Amino acid sequence: MNRFPCPYLHGDVDLTDERERHIAAHHPDIVPEHSHRIAETLADPDEVRADSDYPNTRLFLRWYDDLRAGKYVTVAVVSDQPSGTRHWIVTAFVARKPPRGDIEWKRP
């Protein structure tokens, strides 16, 4: 299991081996070649959204000019409720445009 710091959540975010295998199987454009961008996106996102389909899930987005001619890396993170003390990645993917969801925070 990997653990990444996330200043927005004031804690670490877990990436289990099972979730890493899921991302590699379903989104091979990010894992393993761009795995480091998952950590970068959690540490310094451009935007954080509340997932409109899944409660307790936030979407961390960061734009990369050098990723496939300009794309977003999106990392979906679930937070344990009601305490919000444990956070874990459910998936991560590369996208042309931001996913749906209410913006919680945006880089000024």
Side-chain angles (χ1 to χ4, degrees), residues 15-28 31 89-93:
L15 175 61
T16 65
D17 294 341
E18 185 275 330
R19 288 289 91 192
E20 188 169 5
R21 286 192 300 274
H22 161 86
I23 296 167
H26 297 279
H27 309 286
V31 171
I89 295 170
V90 290
T91 194
F93 53 90

Side-chain angles (χ1 to χ4, degrees), residues 3-96:
R3 184 165 280 162
F4 305 106
C6 181
Y8 182 81
L9 295 173
H10 305 288
D12 291 334
V13 176
D14 296 336
L15 175 61
T16 65
D17 294 341
E18 185 275 330
R19 288 289 91 192
E20 188 169 5
R21 286 192 300 274
H22 161 86
I23 296 167
H26 297 279
H27 309 286
D29 48 352
I30 193 163
V31 171
E33 184 180 355
H34 299 287
S35 295
H36 64 286
R37 295 184 197 242
I38 292 173
E40 292 173 354
T41 299
L42 292 171
D44 189 24
D46 291 333
E47 198 172 288
V48 179
R49 294 178 177 229
D51 192 309
S52 56
D53 296 325
Y54 299 98
N56 307 331
T57 303
R58 290 183 175 95
L59 304 170
F60 290 76
L61 288 77
R62 183 170 167 157
W63 176 261
Y64 287 94
D65 286 330
D66 63 339
L67 180 61
R68 298 175 46 203
K71 297 284 187 281
Y72 286 96
V73 167
T74 301
V75 182
V77 176
V78 175
S79 295
D80 192 18
Q81 294 298 323
S83 67
T85 57
R86 181 173 176 256
H87 314 283
W88 63 94
I89 295 170
V90 290
T91 194
F93 53 90
V94 174
R96 184 171 42 95

